[in-house]
CSV table of all heavy atoms in Angstrom, one decimal:
chain,number,residue,atom,x,y,z
P,1467,SER,N,-71.1,-66.4,-181.8
P,1467,SER,CA,-71.5,-65.0,-181.5
P,1467,SER,C,-70.5,-64.3,-180.6
P,1467,SER,O,-69.7,-65.0,-179.9
P,1467,SER,CB,-72.9,-64.9,-180.9
P,1467,SER,OG,-72.8,-65.4,-179.6
P,1468,ALA,N,-70.5,-63.0,-180.6
P,1468,ALA,CA,-69.6,-62.3,-179.7
P,1468,ALA,C,-69.8,-62.6,-178.2
P,1468,ALA,O,-68.8,-62.7,-177.4
P,1468,ALA,CB,-69.7,-60.8,-179.9
P,1469,ARG,N,-71.0,-62.8,-177.8
P,1469,ARG,CA,-71.3,-63.1,-176.4
P,1469,ARG,C,-70.8,-64.5,-176.1
P,1469,ARG,O,-70.2,-64.7,-175.0
P,1469,ARG,CB,-72.8,-63.1,-176.2
P,1469,ARG,CG,-73.3,-61.6,-176.1
P,1469,ARG,CD,-74.8,-61.5,-175.7
P,1469,ARG,NE,-75.1,-62.0,-174.3
P,1469,ARG,CZ,-74.8,-61.3,-173.2
P,1469,ARG,NH1,-74.2,-60.1,-173.4
P,1469,ARG,NH2,-75.1,-61.7,-172.0
P,1470,PHE,N,-71.0,-65.5,-177.0
P,1470,PHE,CA,-70.4,-66.8,-176.7
P,1470,PHE,C,-68.9,-66.8,-176.6
P,1470,PHE,O,-68.3,-67.4,-175.7
P,1470,PHE,CB,-70.9,-67.8,-177.8
P,1470,PHE,CG,-70.4,-69.2,-177.7
P,1470,PHE,CD1,-71.0,-70.1,-176.8
P,1470,PHE,CD2,-69.2,-69.6,-178.3
P,1470,PHE,CE1,-70.5,-71.3,-176.6
P,1470,PHE,CE2,-68.7,-70.9,-178.1
P,1470,PHE,CZ,-69.4,-71.8,-177.3
P,1471,LYS,N,-68.3,-66.0,-177.5
P,1471,LYS,CA,-66.8,-65.9,-177.5
P,1471,LYS,C,-66.4,-65.3,-176.1
P,1471,LYS,O,-65.4,-65.7,-175.5
P,1471,LYS,CB,-66.3,-65.1,-178.6
P,1471,LYS,CG,-66.4,-65.8,-180.0
P,1471,LYS,CD,-65.9,-64.9,-181.1
P,1471,LYS,CE,-65.9,-65.6,-182.4
P,1471,LYS,NZ,-65.4,-64.8,-183.5
P,1472,ALA,N,-67.1,-64.3,-175.7
P,1472,ALA,CA,-66.8,-63.6,-174.4
P,1472,ALA,C,-66.9,-64.6,-173.3
P,1472,ALA,O,-66.1,-64.6,-172.4
P,1472,ALA,CB,-67.7,-62.4,-174.2
P,1473,TRP,N,-68.0,-65.4,-173.3
P,1473,TRP,CA,-68.1,-66.4,-172.2
P,1473,TRP,C,-66.9,-67.4,-172.2
P,1473,TRP,O,-66.4,-67.8,-171.2
P,1473,TRP,CB,-69.4,-67.2,-172.4
P,1473,TRP,CG,-70.6,-66.5,-171.7
P,1473,TRP,CD1,-71.7,-66.0,-172.3
P,1473,TRP,CD2,-70.8,-66.2,-170.3
P,1473,TRP,NE1,-72.5,-65.4,-171.4
P,1473,TRP,CE2,-72.0,-65.5,-170.2
P,1473,TRP,CE3,-70.0,-66.5,-169.2
P,1473,TRP,CZ2,-72.5,-65.1,-168.9
P,1473,TRP,CZ3,-70.5,-66.1,-167.9
P,1473,TRP,CH2,-71.7,-65.4,-167.8
P,1474,VAL,N,-66.6,-67.9,-173.4
P,1474,VAL,CA,-65.5,-68.9,-173.6
P,1474,VAL,C,-64.2,-68.2,-173.1
P,1474,VAL,O,-63.4,-68.8,-172.4
P,1474,VAL,CB,-65.4,-69.4,-175.0
P,1474,VAL,CG1,-64.1,-70.1,-175.2
P,1474,VAL,CG2,-66.6,-70.2,-175.4
P,1475,ASP,N,-63.9,-67.0,-173.5
P,1475,ASP,CA,-62.7,-66.3,-173.2
P,1475,ASP,C,-62.6,-66.0,-171.7
P,1475,ASP,O,-61.6,-66.2,-171.0
P,1475,ASP,CB,-62.6,-64.9,-173.9
P,1475,ASP,CG,-62.3,-65.1,-175.4
P,1475,ASP,OD1,-61.8,-66.2,-175.8
P,1475,ASP,OD2,-62.5,-64.2,-176.1
P,1476,LEU,N,-63.8,-65.6,-171.1
P,1476,LEU,CA,-63.8,-65.4,-169.6
P,1476,LEU,C,-63.6,-66.7,-168.8
P,1476,LEU,O,-62.8,-66.7,-167.9
P,1476,LEU,CB,-65.2,-64.8,-169.2
P,1476,LEU,CG,-65.3,-64.4,-167.8
P,1476,LEU,CD1,-64.3,-63.4,-167.3
P,1476,LEU,CD2,-66.7,-63.9,-167.5
P,1477,ALA,N,-64.3,-67.7,-169.2
P,1477,ALA,CA,-64.1,-69.0,-168.5
P,1477,ALA,C,-62.7,-69.6,-168.7
P,1477,ALA,O,-62.1,-70.0,-167.7
P,1477,ALA,CB,-65.2,-70.0,-169.1
P,1478,GLY,N,-62.2,-69.5,-169.9
P,1478,GLY,CA,-60.8,-70.0,-170.1
P,1478,GLY,C,-59.8,-69.2,-169.4
P,1478,GLY,O,-58.9,-69.8,-168.8
P,1479,THR,N,-60.0,-67.9,-169.3
P,1479,THR,CA,-59.1,-67.1,-168.5
P,1479,THR,C,-59.1,-67.4,-167.0
P,1479,THR,O,-58.1,-67.6,-166.4
P,1479,THR,CB,-59.4,-65.6,-168.8
P,1479,THR,OG1,-59.2,-65.4,-170.2
P,1479,THR,CG2,-58.4,-64.7,-168.0
P,1480,LEU,N,-60.3,-67.4,-166.5
P,1480,LEU,CA,-60.5,-67.7,-165.1
P,1480,LEU,C,-60.1,-69.1,-164.6
P,1480,LEU,O,-59.5,-69.2,-163.5
P,1480,LEU,CB,-61.9,-67.3,-164.6
P,1480,LEU,CG,-62.4,-65.9,-164.8
P,1480,LEU,CD1,-63.8,-65.7,-164.4
P,1480,LEU,CD2,-61.5,-65.0,-164.0
P,1481,VAL,N,-60.4,-70.0,-165.5
P,1481,VAL,CA,-60.2,-71.4,-165.1
P,1481,VAL,C,-58.8,-71.9,-165.4
P,1481,VAL,O,-58.1,-72.7,-164.7
P,1481,VAL,CB,-61.2,-72.4,-165.7
P,1481,VAL,CG1,-60.9,-73.8,-165.5
P,1481,VAL,CG2,-62.6,-72.0,-165.2
P,1482,PHE,N,-58.2,-71.4,-166.6
P,1482,PHE,CA,-56.9,-71.9,-167.0
P,1482,PHE,C,-55.8,-70.9,-166.9
P,1482,PHE,O,-54.8,-71.1,-166.3
P,1482,PHE,CB,-57.0,-72.5,-168.4
P,1482,PHE,CG,-58.0,-73.6,-168.5
P,1482,PHE,CD1,-59.2,-73.5,-169.2
P,1482,PHE,CD2,-57.6,-74.8,-168.0
P,1482,PHE,CE1,-60.0,-74.6,-169.3
P,1482,PHE,CE2,-58.5,-75.9,-168.0
P,1482,PHE,CZ,-59.7,-75.8,-168.7
P,1483,ALA,N,-55.9,-69.8,-167.6
P,1483,ALA,CA,-54.8,-68.8,-167.8
P,1483,ALA,C,-54.3,-68.2,-166.5
P,1483,ALA,O,-53.1,-68.2,-166.2
P,1483,ALA,CB,-55.2,-67.7,-168.9
P,1484,LEU,N,-55.2,-67.6,-165.8
P,1484,LEU,CA,-54.8,-66.9,-164.6
P,1484,LEU,C,-54.2,-67.8,-163.5
P,1484,LEU,O,-53.1,-67.6,-163.0
P,1484,LEU,CB,-56.0,-66.1,-164.0
P,1484,LEU,CG,-56.4,-64.9,-164.9
P,1484,LEU,CD1,-57.6,-64.1,-164.3
P,1484,LEU,CD2,-55.2,-63.9,-165.1
P,1485,PRO,N,-54.9,-69.0,-163.2
P,1485,PRO,CA,-54.3,-69.9,-162.3
P,1485,PRO,C,-52.9,-70.4,-162.8
P,1485,PRO,O,-52.0,-70.7,-162.1
P,1485,PRO,CB,-55.3,-71.1,-162.2
P,1485,PRO,CG,-56.6,-70.5,-162.6
P,1485,PRO,CD,-56.2,-69.4,-163.6
P,1486,PHE,N,-52.8,-70.7,-164.2
P,1486,PHE,CA,-51.6,-71.2,-164.7
P,1486,PHE,C,-50.5,-70.1,-164.5
P,1486,PHE,O,-49.4,-70.5,-164.1
P,1486,PHE,CB,-51.7,-71.4,-166.2
P,1486,PHE,CG,-50.4,-71.7,-166.9
P,1486,PHE,CD1,-49.8,-72.9,-166.8
P,1486,PHE,CD2,-49.8,-70.7,-167.7
P,1486,PHE,CE1,-48.6,-73.2,-167.5
P,1486,PHE,CE2,-48.6,-71.0,-168.4
P,1486,PHE,CZ,-48.0,-72.2,-168.2
P,1487,CYS,N,-50.7,-68.9,-164.7
P,1487,CYS,CA,-49.8,-67.8,-164.5
P,1487,CYS,C,-49.3,-67.8,-163.0
P,1487,CYS,O,-48.1,-67.7,-162.7
P,1487,CYS,CB,-50.3,-66.5,-164.9
P,1487,CYS,SG,-50.5,-66.3,-166.7
P,1488,ALA,N,-50.3,-68.0,-162.1
P,1488,ALA,CA,-50.0,-68.0,-160.7
P,1488,ALA,C,-49.1,-69.1,-160.3
P,1488,ALA,O,-48.1,-69.0,-159.6
P,1488,ALA,CB,-51.3,-68.0,-159.9
P,1489,VAL,N,-49.4,-70.3,-160.9
P,1489,VAL,CA,-48.6,-71.5,-160.6
P,1489,VAL,C,-47.2,-71.3,-161.1
P,1489,VAL,O,-46.2,-71.6,-160.4
P,1489,VAL,CB,-49.3,-72.8,-161.1
P,1489,VAL,CG1,-48.3,-74.0,-161.1
P,1489,VAL,CG2,-50.5,-73.1,-160.3
P,1490,VAL,N,-47.1,-70.8,-162.3
P,1490,VAL,CA,-45.7,-70.6,-162.9
P,1490,VAL,C,-44.9,-69.6,-162.0
P,1490,VAL,O,-43.8,-69.9,-161.7
P,1490,VAL,CB,-45.8,-70.0,-164.4
P,1490,VAL,CG1,-44.5,-69.6,-164.9
P,1490,VAL,CG2,-46.4,-71.1,-165.3
């Protein structure tokens, strides 16, 4: 569902993508 995708996207962004960008 769109809500599940939103949760996955939000969690993935906060836990992986944004910290990864900061570290790079």
Side-chain angles (χ1 to χ4, degrees):
S1467 70
R1469 288 187 64 76
F1470 179 81
K1471 288 179 180 180
W1473 276 114
V1474 169
D1475 290 341
L1476 182 59
T1479 299
L1480 295 177
V1481 173
F1482 298 111
L1484 293 175
F1486 171 75
C1487 292
V1489 167
V1490 168

